Amino acid sequence: MLDAKRTERVVVLALDGVYPFELGIPSRILGAADGRYEVLTCSVDGRPVRSNADFTIGVEHGPEILTTADTVVITPVSPERMPLHLPPEVREALALIRPDARIVSICTGAFVLAAAGLLEGRRATTHWQLADHFRRLYPHVDLDPDVLFVDDGRILTSAGAASGVDVCLHLVRKDHGSELANTVARRCVVPPFRDGGQAQYIEQPVPEQGAASTARTRAWALERLDEPLTLGELAAHARMSLRTFARRFNDEVGLSPGRWLIQQRVVRARHLLESSDLSVDQIAARVGFATGASLRQHLHAAIGVSPQVYRRTFQTAAR
């Protein structure tokens, strides 16, 4: 948790062939966080960079600004320009990053970090379409192509394109709590937390015409998280067989119904830990966990801390 009174400096490194959409995400999301972040953009030589569109982007800073960054964001480049071996000027720019600075990549920016040796032995992600290529180039990286982002401590990696929004909201949530992250999401008209992972975006066989969705059942379940919902009840609400419902749910969300329910209960529990003085047992009952011990187990599995530690950290920040 960061000092709420301190402004964190975020430096976005724009490389040749950058995608304009992803380049603008850190400034748009972090810039909406009530002045908690100062977002600056640089290139490896201080000169304009070519984008993957039909225009060039001018930047205000050269690589020396990286020495002042609390967080550095590596934006994606076109696949044909992804480095197997980093150009000297890129390697020199990355060497300017402080050892204690946080590093975030968006989409194919993970290839840059891997080429620099920064992902060796770490868990990471990148765009699902490039997962096999990434594994061939960097077999010592623990690549997870099914998630929207990976937080591996000092280094965070995110998946394709709009997952940059997800990882930037995660930074706000991690640094300053869910209340501010939700406020930023509303200002930017994006969901504060997206269900599932990249699996829901991987190309799937086209469903049969007229195939029903599980969306209405998911909305129905979210209103009844305090109840012991079973797969049979979910399938019955969706008017599908158990097998069809489970398959279609996984295709749409990227998770099994059971894992999704646990995820949603943990999200609801985190909100109550931040915003209420209910006991752990009371919160467990409200979100559908059988006991406080079950809530503790699932919360620790999701974010690595106990309910008491989470509440002490985030409730203090919110207040």
Side-chain angles (χ1 to χ4, degrees):
M1 176 64 62
L2 296 180
D3 182 350
K5 297 179 181 179
R6 179 179 176 274
T7 298
E8 169 147 338
R9 172 165 286 188
V10 178
V11 176
V12 183
L13 178 59
L15 299 174
D16 188 52
V18 67
Y19 283 84
F21 170 68
E22 288 88 330
L23 179 63
I25 288 174
S27 179
R28 186 66 187 93
I29 300 299
L30 301 179
D34 291 343
R36 305 294 176 87
Y37 303 91
E38 175 191 29
V39 184
L40 306 174
T41 306
C42 75
S43 64
V44 295
D45 54 10
R47 299 174 181 172
V49 294
R50 290 177 294 173
S51 72
N52 82 318
D54 63 340
F55 54 85
T56 298
I57 299 172
V59 297
E60 295 292 326
H61 303 282
E64 64 281 351
I65 199 72
L66 291 166
T67 64
T68 70
D70 299 302
T71 296
V72 175
V73 180
I74 310 298
T75 50
V77 297
S78 302
E80 62 272 14
R81 297 186 182 181
M82 288 187 304
L84 177 57
H85 302 290
L86 289 179
E89 63 273 17
V90 176
R91 189 172 292 277
E92 291 168 7
L94 294 177
L96 296 174
I97 301 173
R98 298 197 323 256
D100 62 333
R102 184 166 55 185
I103 303 176
V104 181
S105 71
I106 299 177
C107 194
T108 58
F111 281 80
V112 176
L113 298 185
L118 295 173
L119 296 181
E120 288 287 311
R122 288 182 177 270
R123 183 168 169 258
T125 193
T126 191
H127 196 293
W128 63 267
Q129 285 185 309
L130 299 168
D132 291 340
H133 180 54
F134 187 99
R135 287 192 177 109
R136 286 193 295 270
L137 293 180
Y138 308 110
H140 299 300
V141 179
D142 180 14
L143 188 74
D144 185 350
D146 295 332
V147 295
L148 294 175
F149 62 86
V150 169
D151 183 341
D152 194 43
R154 177 184 170 237
I155 297 181
L156 298 87
T157 51
S158 60
S163 64
V165 173
D166 298 292
V167 75
C168 284
L169 284 173
H170 173 70
L171 293 180
V172 178
R173 189 179 299 112
K174 182 177 182 179
D175 294 345
H176 301 290
S178 294
E179 183 176 353
L180 182 57
N182 292 343
T183 298
V184 170
R186 286 193 297 272
R187 289 171 178 167
C188 297
V189 199
V190 295
F193 187 88
R194 284 199 288 168
D195 299 333
Q198 285 198 89
Q200 62 191 310
Y201 303 105
I202 296 174
E203 293 174 356
Q204 303 280 356
V206 177
E208 60 269 22
Q209 188 173 5
S213 168
T214 64
R216 286 182 62 253
T217 297
R218 295 200 302 273
W220 176 81
L222 286 175
E223 296 175 356
R224 296 164 175 80
L225 285 180
D226 58 322
E227 300 176 13
L229 299 170
T230 66
L231 179 60
E233 289 171 325
L234 295 172
H237 181 270
R239 298 182 180 179
M240 301 179 191
S241 68
L242 290 175
R243 185 174 180 180
T244 297
F245 177 79
R247 184 183 70 251
R248 194 157 296 156
F249 193 102
N250 193 76
D251 288 346
E252 293 178 5
V253 178
L255 295 170
S256 69
R259 286 183 61 193
W260 179 82
L261 276 173
I262 289 173
Q263 181 189 77
Q264 299 308 311
R265 284 170 170 148
V266 168
V267 169
R268 185 74 57 81
R270 289 171 66 174
H271 172 73
L272 290 173
L273 285 167
E274 292 182 31
S275 61
S276 77
D277 292 318
L278 296 171
S279 70
V280 172
D281 287 338
Q282 288 173 320
I283 291 174
R286 289 200 180 192
V287 303
F289 288 123
T291 63
S294 180
L295 169 56
R296 291 183 183 93
Q297 176 186 352
H298 287 297
L299 185 70
H300 193 276
I303 58 176
V305 298
S306 68
Q308 291 82 0
V309 170
Y310 184 86
R311 166 172 274 165
R312 186 164 58 248
T313 300
F314 287 93
Q315 199 173 71
T316 299
R319 288 173 176 169

